[in-house]
Amino acid sequence: MTKPISLPGERRHFLDLGDLAPGEIRHILDGARRIKARRRAPLASDRILAGRSIAMIFEQPSLRTRLSFDMAIRELGGESVMVTGKEIELGERESIADTARVLSRYVDGIMIRILDHRQLIELARHATVPVLNGLTKTSHPCQVMADLLTFEERKGAISGRTVSWVGDSNNVLRSWIEASARLGFTIRVATPEELQPRPELVEWARANKADLQLMRDPQAAVAGTDCVIADAWVSMGDKDGARRHNLLKPYQVNAALMAAAGPQAIFMHCLPAKRGEEVTDEVLDGPQSVVFDEAENRLHAQKAILAWAYGQTIA
């Protein structure tokens, strides 16, 4: 885990949920709920980015991250500037530190979606404007903020509840584990032994008093849970797709697994989903699925994240 990187004044980077105090996460969630409720009738005070421009840098293609951040910035009164990884060639034509310094002279904030987490940290270390983690191979905090918002809309406060992750150990799972340490809920993780969470993440979770339960049996992991979570078996940057498919076949979320979870459980997936692989159509399109609520809530959660990054409170 990286140590939080400070900025002068009230501005803050949003890099990993483990960097935030419980009260900061709760502050963002409360703001997201308030601004979502009045999206069609916003207050003048909601235009917290008026006069500000945010660079959006994408090394990898994106639907939800790109459009949700673009709309969030616009609806908060700011302007977004889209830049591709090929245009910047981060760390190749010049040092990441120099790129950070130049961008900080042009724009008021940077949202970046890049595989290499170390490059994200290096960019934030040298930027003098807020840097937001839109996704790395290591973590995906914006997605999990939207997931937490979705959970609490459906089930109430997440503290003391149980969520169950089934499948591969990836960047979204890491952010869920960090959230569990900060907000006090149980996370059961059912993975094949070969794909279990990395030892340093488990060590961090134990040190930060997360109720993390590592399991092999997906049926046992979901029994009586409040939420079942799955993700793609092969993520961007993975080179061993065939091996992963063979290992993860027993971890498909289907009607039988949701029956083991019980009717009270909701189903989450950050999308895009490989229908018929990690989840079946009957689950993804079924009454327990909240996947499209999650997708919408990226917009609202990210508005609140942007407000927090500039030291603003959404009233």
Side-chain angles (χ1 to χ4, degrees):
M1 298 292 168
T2 59
K3 293 182 179 180
I5 303 166
S6 61
L7 279 170
E10 294 297 320
R11 296 166 298 156
R12 292 166 280 203
H13 297 311
F14 183 81
L15 305 178
D16 282 304
L17 295 186
D19 297 339
L20 276 62
E24 291 177 296
I25 295 176
R26 180 56 56 196
H27 175 87
I28 292 170
L29 290 173
D30 290 345
R33 272 192 291 273
R34 287 192 287 267
I35 205 161
K36 178 180 180 178
R38 58 174 184 261
R39 184 186 181 195
R40 301 305 177 190
L43 302 176
S45 59
D46 291 341
R47 295 181 62 80
I48 59 171
L49 293 183
R52 290 190 168 112
S53 58
I54 310 295
M56 301 199 305
I57 303 170
F58 288 87
E59 180 184 76
Q60 300 290 333
S62 169
L63 169 62
R64 278 153 291 275
T65 299
R66 177 174 178 176
L67 290 181
S68 61
F69 259 112
D70 193 12
M71 292 307 301
I73 293 164
R74 291 168 186 253
E75 291 183 13
L76 292 177
E79 295 186 6
S80 62
V81 181
M82 172 69 183
V83 187
T84 67
K86 288 183 178 180
E87 290 173 291
I88 288 187
E89 295 181 333
L90 193 65
E92 295 180 19
R93 292 192 298 167
E94 62 184 341
S95 71
I96 294 173
D98 285 352
T99 298
R101 294 178 182 113
V102 170
L103 286 171
S104 297
R105 300 292 183 101
Y106 292 156
V107 297
D108 302 292
I110 303 165
M111 190 290 300
I112 185 167
R113 180 182 173 98
I114 188 170
L115 290 183
D116 192 331
H117 198 77
R118 294 168 300 179
Q119 291 187 329
L120 167 77
I121 299 303
E122 183 72 2
L123 187 75
R125 184 170 288 117
H126 296 281
T128 56
V129 297
V131 173
L132 284 66
N133 177 3
L135 171 146
T136 70
K137 186 69 174 170
T138 299
S139 65
H140 200 352
C142 289
Q143 178 63 54
V144 172
M145 289 302 298
D147 294 348
L148 293 168
L149 177 61
T150 306
F151 182 100
E152 294 197 337
E153 286 176 340
R154 294 298 188 105
K155 307 287 290 182
I158 198 168
S159 177
R161 309 300 282 272
T162 299
V163 302
S164 301
W165 178 278
V166 179
D168 186 23
S169 174
N170 65 9
N171 54 355
V172 180
L173 174 59
R174 169 169 161 159
S175 293
W176 266 107
I177 290 172
E178 292 180 6
S180 75
R182 296 296 181 249
L183 296 182
F185 59 89
T186 297
I187 181 162
R188 301 177 189 158
V189 178
T191 63
E193 184 175 359
E194 298 89 337
L195 298 176
Q196 64 186 336
R198 297 177 70 87
E200 58 268 27
L201 175 57
V202 175
E203 182 180 347
W204 181 92
R206 304 295 187 222
N208 284 271
K209 297 181 172 55
D211 187 1
L212 170 63
Q213 301 177 8
L214 302 180
M215 311 174 78
R216 297 285 172 264
D217 182 357
Q219 297 258 340
V222 304
T225 192
D226 294 294
C227 177
V228 178
I229 313 166
D231 202 350
W233 289 347
V234 181
S235 301
M236 286 184 289
D238 289 336
K239 307 296 185 184
D240 55 347
R243 171 177 170 269
R244 287 173 176 273
H245 278 87
N246 289 334
L247 290 170
L248 290 164
K249 282 179 182 178
Y251 293 84
Q252 182 187 71
V253 180
N254 50 35
L257 193 68
M258 290 305 296
Q264 80 292 335
I266 57 176
F267 172 72
M268 287 190 173
H269 191 301
C270 67
L271 301 179
K274 289 286 187 181
R275 291 172 177 262
E277 291 187 8
E278 72 270 12
V279 60
T280 59
D281 286 349
E282 61 185 330
V283 172
L284 197 66
D285 298 326
Q288 291 169 277
S289 174
V290 296
V291 299
F292 298 109
D293 291 342
E294 291 175 80
E296 178 190 344
N297 280 338
R298 290 289 302 274
L299 170 67
H300 311 302
Q302 286 158 190
K303 284 183 180 179
I305 290 166
L306 285 160
W308 172 89
Y310 287 97
Q312 302 292 317
T313 296
I314 297 174

